[in-house]
Structures are given as C-alpha cells and as structure tokens.
Amino acid sequence: MAHIELRNVTKTFGDSTALKGLDLTVEDGQFFVLLGETGAGKTTTLRVVAGLEKPTAGTVLIDGVDVGDWGAAERDVALVLQQYSLYPRYTVRENLEFPLKSKIRQVAPAEIKERVDRVARTLRIEHLMDRKTDRLSGGEMQRVSIGRAIVRKPRVFLMDEPLSALDAKLREALRIELKNLQMNLGATFLFVTHDQVEAMSMGDRVGVLDRGRLVQVGTPSEIYARPKNTFVARAVGSPPMNLLDGAVRDGKAMAEAGFALPIASASSQDGRPVTFGVRPEDIRLDPEAPARGRVHDVENHGVEKIVTLAAGDTLVRLTTLASQKLSIDDTVAFSWNPDKIILFDRASGQNLAGA
Amino acid sequence: MTTLTMTTLDPRSRAARRGLSDLSIRNLFIIPTIIFLIVFNIFPLLYSLGYSFTDFRASSNAPANFVGLDNYRTLLNDPFIWSNFAITAKYVIVSVTGQVIVGFGVALLLNREIPFKGLITTLLLLPMMLSMAVVGLFWKLLYDPSFGIINYAFGLGRFEWLSNPDMALYAVALTDIWMWSPFVMLLSLAGLSAVPKHLYEAAAIDRAGPIYTFFRITLPLVAPILMIAIIFRTMEAFKTFDLAYILTSQPTTEVISIRLYKMAFQEWQTGMSCALAYIVLIMVIAITNIYVKYLNKVKER
C-alpha cells in the first residue's frame, strides 16, 4: 500500500486549466474522497495520479518516489471508472483474470484461479462468472470492474465516481461494501465523487475541489462543522447550510431577511456586512422566539421533516421532528443555536473564524 | 411490417398538397428501382440459366438445341477449367491476404494522433478511386523490364515481371494489393476508432503489454468489420478481370473470368459460357455464405 503526494500540480488542456497548483497528500491506508462539481478537476486529478495524463507542471510522488516519467503500468495502481470499461466479448471470469495473465506479472494458473474465486466471493458475483459482460446489469458490471481492480493487489486504488451510474439502493449497498473492502485490505483509496453523501459517509478525509483548486481538506465532520468558505458550506450537507446576508450589531445577528437573533461568537465583527451560515438542524421552531417566517414548503423524510420558511424574500431551511404538525402558509416563530452560527465575509466568502 | 415503421406524411407538406399519399410516394421511389433490377439483373440471370442448358452460339443463326446438363458435365470434367480455378484461388489468397496485412497495418499506424492525418488518409485512398483500366496500364509501364521504374528503384536489372510465367500472377496480385489495400485500411480505421479509448486505458492500468492488448482487445473488437472487408475483397478478387487482362496474357494468369470472357466472346460458346458463369456464381455464393456464417460467429463471441 502506498502514500500519494501531489505537489503543486497544474494541468491545462489547450486554453482551459483543469488543475491549478494542486497540493494533495493521501496517507497510507487512507480513504480519501475528492468532492467537487462537474468540471472541478476531480477526474483529471485521478488520471494524473494513474499516469494516464502528464501534469503540465508539478510532481506526483508515490511512496516518496517521483513517478512523473512512469507509465500507468509501472505505477501499479488500479482504476475503476464511471463507465465500467469491462472487456467486451469476454466472460466475467476472463475479465477478472485479465490483469493477472499479462506477461509482466507471471502468476501461476492455480493462484489465478484462487485469487479470482476469492474476489468473486467478496463481491458476491460467483454466480455470474461464466456470463458475458454485456449480459450483466449495471450494478453487476460495476462489481466486476471493482473486482478486476482488487484482484491484483495494487498499491493504490483510484475510483472515478464508480457508483454514480447506479440506482439509489445499489449505490447504498456498494458504498458499504467498498468501505468494508478498504478497511479489510487496509488499502489506500483515492475516491472521486460529486455526491456529498458518499464523501461524508465513506471518507477518512475529504478534499473539496473547486475549479482546479483544493479549497479545504479535513475529516468529514470538520468540513461539515467548520467550512472554510461559502463554497464548501454549500457543497457539503443535505439539505445545504442556510446562508443569510446580514450584519452583527450588539452581539446580535441582524439578518437582512428581517429578523434579529443572538449569536455567541465574533462580536468584534460589529457592523461589518457578513453572511451567516447555519445548518438546518441548528434552527428550531420556538413559539417564544422573535424571528417569524411563513411556511413555504414541507418535505417529509420519514425520520424528520425538512421545512422551508420564507422570511421576507429569503428562504430558510430547518429540520424538525416528523411528528411536528405544520401546514403551508402558517406563520411560525423560530430561533437558532447561537453557538453554531458561522460568519463568512460577504465579499470573499471566507470563514471569519479562520477555520 | 413496413407500413408500421413508415412515418406518415406531414399533411402541410407540398407533396401532400399535390395529393400524394404515403403509399404513392413509396411506390414512386421503389417501382423504378424494381423495374431496373428486373430488366438488367433478374431477366438476364434467368435467361442465361436457360441458355446454359443449350448449345446456343450467339455468332450463328443456328437454333439452340436443348442439351440438358451436358455443358456442366463437360466443364466440370475439363482439367483446363480446373487449372483456371486453381489460378483464381491462388490469386484470391495472395491478393486478399496482402491487402489485409497492408491495409490493417497502415490503419494501425494511422490510428493515433499524427500531424496531417486527414491529408495522409485521403492521399492513401487515391489508388482505390482510379479506374481499373488506368491502373492496369500504368502498372504495365512501371513493371516494364527495360524502362520501368520498379526495376530501376530496386536495382533489379531487367527482371521480367509480367512475361515471366511464374511471376506474372504475383505481379497482378501486387497491383491489386496496391489498389485495394486502402479499402481494407478505411474499414479497419472505422473499426479501430470505434474501440473505446477507456478500454485501452483500463488495459494500461491492468499492466497489459502492447502485444497482449492488441490480441486481447484490439483484434477481437475489429474482427467483425475486418471480416466484412475480407468478404468484399474476396468476392471482388474472385471475379477479377480487367487488371489481369490488361497487365498480361500469360496462361498462368488466366483467372476464371478471363476464361469465361474468352469462351463467351472469342470462341462464341454462348451456352457453355452461361453454364460456366453459373458455376462461378454458385461458388461465390458458397464462399460468401461460409464467410457470413463465420462473421456471425465472430460477432457473437
């Protein structure tokens, strides 16, 4: 298993820049998730690590060795792509055997069989072994391509949105399987996704990528609790963090939406235009509270209700117990947890607490 | 079934205003083609089948007598005809193999990022666009023992390409390879570019070497379209006439269609030649069928 480091990696395609001075470290045995929107440079990062793209500038180190001139084969990485890239016309077994049969690595036939069978058992695809790959369902195909990656014990696993083409149930199941697999193998995983739920639930560490720059790296809870800027605040969490423009006056948050609520931190920011960030679960319905809003929308999620309130023109989301009775257009009062309010600079979007 | 898949005519279109229905438009397109096919293909085909059972000679006024299967019996017992078939088979094998190797090889070279790729491809396609007769005439000049550029370029002295009976067939095949390799190249290129790039990337990640990748990924995926190219070229090579006829008149290059031509238009054995034409037709259909069977098997795999 291995340690990956990217130092100041820049990658341009013609006029467009995919990565700008990216620094990234993945520790040995870590499950690192890169989270970002489409076009943020996630896939490019993976391909640079895999050796399928050469960085325009910067170095890639695997286990402390500069692998800039190495091809994909020499780097000994495994890559699982969004499009399954199984070899057509071959059976599942032949696909799984493929990486072991190459001339570079001489593996005895008995060992090939043993390893392939073990992988098939792990991924529960034993009943598919003699089937052609075009007769498989999406989930089965993706399991085979994961199987092809783990069958040969590479140093690093790279996964490019492997679950995004699957339906919700299967995605959930494979998410758990992948995480277990990583823990059992003790392998280094670099996992790319645009799905923040995947990032939060699977990652040991999460890196948030925005237009080729790494904005914040941290454990999922750090990123959730202390986003570095409004971009991260928006990217992580579902429903997303409420971002309300306003100012601090006399230790109170004066929201432009037309309410004032107490806050615990940052009275030093008096008078400055800021954006308040507050998670939906830190807002509660409270008949005593001074802030008022009209119920705009109620989503019932079973365990909880997500309520959207309209305060002036601004929409505020909060979560509440599923048993709470609400109807649209009711006027309700709400307050928030004063300790959990994050202040962002209005102009730059940076977290004023310095995260 | 056809009526089900047919799209209906837009009622506002000009054709609709002129009172044309879907059905009449369909007939407008199909009927001339069918008439053309019947007059120039189907009728001669059946007519010559009739002649193949007679001793008819187009050069005389003598009435045609029905001779039953005599023509076929004579032809199939004639060792000269069989030697014509052997020559044809040799020619087909040499020329199609050559075309596949050259055409597929060039396609592999072209299937990557190289400067002026489009221009190079177009230039390589030129031989295919020339007329057979023109190609035959100028290759005759190129092969000329005394002033031909091939002997000059390779320093072969006065090597006799076309008048040497052992060499002439290969010389014709070489010309055919030059002319038709681009066709195989074109189809191979289409096949190669249809192989998804991510499969090669996956193979590189799986640490497969270039040869292993070629035989395990490239070839199986290009095989069906390559088979189609081979079918086309085999059929064409089997009935080749003009190149061989123009380049040389050696007995060793008398492929079956030249024999047929001579029989029909120099010896005027019309009935006999019709029978021979049918034998050739049946052979071509048989060979093509074997190929198509094999092609379907390749596709299934």
Side-chain angles (χ1 to χ4, degrees):
Chain A
M1 293 304 133
H3 169 274
I4 310 169
E5 193 176 346
L6 300 188
R7 277 194 206 144
N8 201 22
V9 168
T10 298
K11 176 72 192 173
T12 55
F13 295 100
D15 291 340
S16 64
T17 308
L19 299 175
K20 269 179 261 175
L22 186 76
D23 288 303
L24 179 71
T25 309
V26 182
E27 299 295 338
D28 192 7
Q30 200 171 56
F31 198 119
F32 192 101
V33 179
L34 266 183
L35 177 67
E37 291 163 359
T38 312
K42 303 173 306 238
T43 302
T44 311
T45 312
L46 271 198
R47 293 173 62 88
V48 165
V49 175
L52 296 172
E53 305 281 0
K54 274 205 181 312
T56 316
T59 44
V60 180
L61 299 109
I62 297 179
D63 278 338
V65 183
D66 185 351
V67 293
D69 296 326
W70 295 16
E74 296 157 293
R75 294 191 187 188
D76 198 10
V77 297
L79 180 60
V80 179
L81 295 167
Q82 189 178 356
Q83 69 275 40
Y84 316 110
S85 57
L86 298 179
Y87 305 121
R89 290 170 215 287
Y90 293 126
T91 61
V92 170
R93 178 178 292 281
E94 284 167 324
N95 262 280
L96 292 176
E97 284 171 349
F98 190 96
L100 301 175
K101 285 209 161 159
S102 147
K103 279 257 164 63
I104 305 177
R105 37 181 57 235
Q106 300 279 357
V107 186
E111 200 196 331
I112 292 182
K113 188 176 175 348
E114 196 232 295
R115 281 219 222 160
V116 166
D117 287 343
R118 182 151 22 98
V119 165
R121 229 174 304 126
T122 313
L123 294 171
R124 282 178 275 125
I125 47 176
E126 287 158 300
H127 57 293
L128 306 169
M129 294 307 270
D130 296 318
R131 243 194 260 176
K132 293 273 162 64
T133 52
D134 45 6
R135 309 256 162 82
L136 299 178
S137 73
E140 290 166 344
M141 283 198 213
Q142 194 56 287
R143 266 191 266 177
V144 175
S145 68
I146 292 168
R148 214 178 53 197
I150 63 177
V151 77
R152 67 183 178 88
K153 303 176 187 147
R155 298 206 285 173
V156 180
F157 286 92
L158 305 171
M159 308 229 163
D160 186 4
E161 311 211 14
L163 308 180
S164 61
L166 307 177
D167 65 75
K169 261 238 160 69
L170 199 62
R171 203 181 315 160
E172 219 162 283
L174 270 177
R175 209 153 67 199
I176 297 162
E177 266 178 51
L178 267 182
K179 182 70 194 168
N180 285 339
L181 194 73
Q182 187 260 343
M183 290 201 282
N184 290 339
L185 296 171
T188 311
F189 267 53
L190 180 53
F191 188 100
V192 150
T193 182
H194 64 263
D195 182 348
Q196 55 95 22
V197 179
E198 273 174 28
M200 302 301 278
S201 59
M202 296 169 85
D204 296 326
R205 285 177 86 75
V206 176
V208 182
L209 209 57
D210 179 26
R211 280 164 293 168
R213 283 176 202 281
L214 203 54
V215 185
Q216 188 175 5
V217 180
T219 62
S221 54
E222 270 167 26
I223 289 195
Y224 189 76
R226 290 190 296 281
K228 207 166 184 177
N229 60 21
T230 48
F231 177 82
V232 179
R234 256 186 235 113
V236 174
S238 171
M241 186 180 252
N242 292 298
L243 295 169
L244 308 161
D245 288 346
V248 182
R249 220 156 276 137
D250 308 329
K252 277 195 159 194
M254 317 292 288
E256 277 170 21
F259 59 84
L261 285 168
I263 54 170
S265 60
S267 50
S268 58
Q269 306 293 349
D270 237 32
R272 178 168 175 180
V274 293
T275 301
F276 300 106
V278 53
R279 292 279 172 202
E281 62 271 25
D282 294 324
I283 303 182
R284 62 180 185 279
L285 296 174
D286 178 1
E288 315 281 292
R292 294 265 180 281
R294 189 170 51 75
V295 177
H296 182 77
D297 186 38
V298 180
E299 290 173 51
N300 200 338
H301 282 241
V303 283
E304 59 180 21
K305 269 185 177 139
I306 297 172
V307 183
T308 309
L309 298 178
D313 292 335
T314 315
L315 296 179
V316 179
R317 279 218 175 75
L318 62 98
T319 54
T320 181
L321 294 176
S323 55
Q324 181 82 41
K325 287 205 166 39
L326 283 168
S327 45
I328 306 252
D329 281 344
D330 280 354
T331 300
V332 293
F334 64 93
S335 68
W336 63 31
N337 184 344
D339 300 323
K340 292 287 184 69
I341 312 303
I342 300 166
L343 298 184
F344 298 101
D345 181 65
R346 177 98 58 92
S348 68
Q350 293 298 316
N351 189 334
L352 290 171
Chain B
M1 280 310 284
T2 36
T3 43
L4 282 176
T5 51
M6 221 163 67
T7 46
T8 32
L9 195 62
D10 185 347
R12 289 159 302 177
S13 70
R14 213 160 71 185
R17 256 183 279 131
R18 287 193 188 154
L20 289 171
S21 70
D22 287 350
L23 202 65
S24 52
I25 286 182
R26 185 184 74 180
N27 291 342
L28 201 67
F29 280 108
I30 291 175
I31 287 174
T33 317
I34 290 180
I35 290 174
F36 191 88
L37 270 178
I38 288 174
V39 171
F40 290 100
N41 280 0
I42 309 215
F43 170 72
L45 198 66
L46 296 176
Y47 207 70
S48 63
L49 182 63
Y51 272 143
S52 74
F53 299 113
T54 67
D55 64 353
F56 178 67
R57 302 177 75 93
S59 55
S60 77
N61 286 326
N65 300 313
F66 183 76
V67 294
L69 290 169
D70 264 9
N71 285 336
Y72 291 92
R73 209 170 291 134
T74 319
L75 284 169
L76 293 174
N77 284 320
D78 183 349
F80 292 106
I81 294 292
W82 283 107
S83 97
N84 289 138
F85 274 121
I87 290 168
T88 311
K90 198 162 141 196
Y91 174 78
V92 168
I93 290 167
V94 171
S95 116
V96 174
T97 313
Q99 285 164 26
V100 169
I101 292 171
V102 176
F104 193 61
V106 175
L108 281 175
L109 290 177
L110 280 176
N111 188 39
R112 63 185 74 184
E113 291 305 314
I114 48 169
F116 305 114
K117 185 173 159 181
L119 183 69
I120 293 170
T121 312
T122 315
L123 285 178
L124 284 174
L125 290 181
L126 276 180
M128 206 171 88
M129 301 171 186
L130 300 175
S131 141
M132 282 273 203
V134 174
V135 170
L137 284 173
F138 79 71
W139 272 81
K140 207 171 182 175
L141 296 175
L142 296 179
Y143 278 138
D144 193 284
S146 44
F147 58 80
I149 195 154
I150 292 178
N151 282 353
Y152 177 76
F154 294 100
L156 293 172
R158 299 180 65 84
F159 186 77
E160 310 232 310
W161 287 93
L162 297 170
S163 35
N164 179 342
D166 294 329
M167 197 61 217
L169 189 70
Y170 296 106
V172 178
L174 193 65
T175 308
D176 198 48
I177 291 170
W178 175 84
M179 189 169 178
W180 290 107
S181 290
F183 176 78
V184 180
M185 179 198 85
L186 198 64
L187 286 189
S188 306
L189 260 183
L192 284 172
S193 55
V195 179
K197 215 177 141 210
H198 60 87
L199 285 184
Y200 289 121
E201 290 180 346
I205 292 281
D206 285 342
R207 316 182 82 189
I211 296 170
Y212 190 70
T213 309
F214 177 79
F215 282 106
R216 294 298 300 262
I217 295 177
T218 311
L219 206 54
L221 284 175
V222 182
I225 203 159
L226 202 59
M227 280 302 296
I228 290 172
I230 292 173
I231 292 175
F232 271 110
R233 290 315 309 153
T234 306
M235 276 173 11
E236 288 275 302
F238 202 92
K239 57 185 201 187
T240 200
F241 172 77
D242 15 23
L243 265 188
Y245 192 74
I246 291 166
L247 276 169
T248 164
S249 49
Q250 296 283 340
T252 51
T253 63
E254 199 180 75
V255 291
I256 197 68
S257 50
I258 294 183
R259 178 75 276 226
L260 184 58
Y261 168 79
K262 284 184 179 163
M263 197 183 276
F265 302 109
Q266 289 178 357
E267 298 159 13
W268 295 106
Q269 306 188 53
T270 313
M272 186 80 84
S273 61
C274 284
L276 181 55
Y278 260 88
I279 293 172
V280 172
L281 179 71
I282 288 163
M283 281 188 164
V284 171
I285 290 174
I287 293 172
T288 315
N289 261 313
I290 293 168
Y291 270 142
V292 170
K293 280 261 160 62
Y294 186 69
L295 174 72
N296 287 337
K297 231 172 77 189
V298 166
K299 270 190 181 161
E300 249 173 52
R301 253 200 289 137

